[in-house]
Each structure stands twice: as structure tokens, then as C-alpha cells.
Amino acid sequence: MSITFVIPLLTAFGLGSLLTAFLQHWFSVRSKKEARDFSERREAYIGLLEAYHRAAIEGTGEAAKTFAYWQMRCELVAPTDVRKAIADIIATNDDLPKRYIAHDKLKDAMRRDLKVSN
């Protein structure tokens, strides 16, 4: 694109309106990405919690595999503190007092990540 083409274009449409159009597009793309990321994380967390509940009640191999599947989904979309909290849940399987602490850490990490409450 030559400068002789750009100058009349800027004059005809105005630099301000072109800048406004660019910024609106950028904010729109960013907003859509944030909404998609939130949705993916929310879905992964709900799936993990449902699988965790099922594994705790049933204690079957199938329930454990389902939990592992949702854990992997969370590994893909969750920040480090949520992934660490999930690992703490697994590590405290035989220690009930530490498990309660791990539950609180997981809930807090998910809340912070989703920005839903404090």
C-alpha cells in the first residue's frame, strides 16, 4: 500500500474514526476471548467437582477415571494455584484434616480465578 493511497483514505474517513473502529474491534475481540476463557474454566471446574463428588460416593475405577479426565481438562485451562489445589486434594486422600484445608484452598483458588466472590 503506497502513501499516496493512504493519505486520501485517512482524509476521507478521518483518522479519528479509523482509530475508533480499530479500538472497537480490539475491545470486541478481547471481550469475546475473556468470555470464552471464563466459560471453558467454569465448565472444567463444574465437571471436576461433579466427578470428585461421584468418586467420593462411588469409589469405583470408572469414577476415578472420570475425575482424572476432568483433572486433565483443568490442567489445560486453570491457572497454577488451581492446579496446585487440585494436586493437594489428591495428595490428602488419606488425611482428613488436611483434606478440609485442601478443599478450602481449591474453593478459594477457583473463586479468585472466576472472579465470582471472595
Side-chain angles (χ1 to χ4, degrees):
M1 199 181 290
S2 70
I3 192 77
T4 57
F5 176 74
V6 173
I7 291 176
L9 184 68
L10 290 177
T11 309
F13 293 107
L15 183 60
S17 59
L18 288 175
L19 183 61
T20 300
F22 172 76
L23 288 174
Q24 285 175 340
H25 174 71
W26 183 77
F27 282 119
S28 173
V29 168
R30 190 175 112 189
S31 177
K32 287 177 185 176
K33 181 187 179 314
E34 288 173 356
R36 186 196 71 221
D37 291 349
F38 176 86
S39 178
E40 287 176 356
R41 289 190 316 268
R42 184 189 67 211
E43 179 183 336
Y45 295 164
I46 290 170
L48 178 81
L49 294 173
E50 289 174 348
Y52 178 50
H53 175 74
R54 184 173 166 219
I57 290 175
E58 295 176 10
T60 64
E62 182 184 337
K65 288 177 184 177
T66 301
F67 178 81
Y69 166 78
W70 285 104
Q71 179 189 5
M72 182 61 71
R73 293 266 313 253
C74 288
E75 290 285 329
L76 294 173
V77 298
T80 303
D81 59 336
V82 173
R83 294 191 312 261
K84 170 127 179 41
I86 294 168
D88 289 347
I89 290 287
I90 295 166
T92 60
N93 196 34
D94 297 326
D95 190 344
L96 198 56
K98 287 184 181 178
R99 173 61 65 97
Y100 291 137
I101 294 169
H103 281 165
D104 289 339
K105 286 182 181 179
L106 180 61
K107 289 185 289 187
D108 290 342
M110 286 179 173
R111 284 182 186 125
R112 276 193 311 275
D113 183 37
L114 296 176
K115 297 174 182 74
V116 291
S117 65
N118 291 336

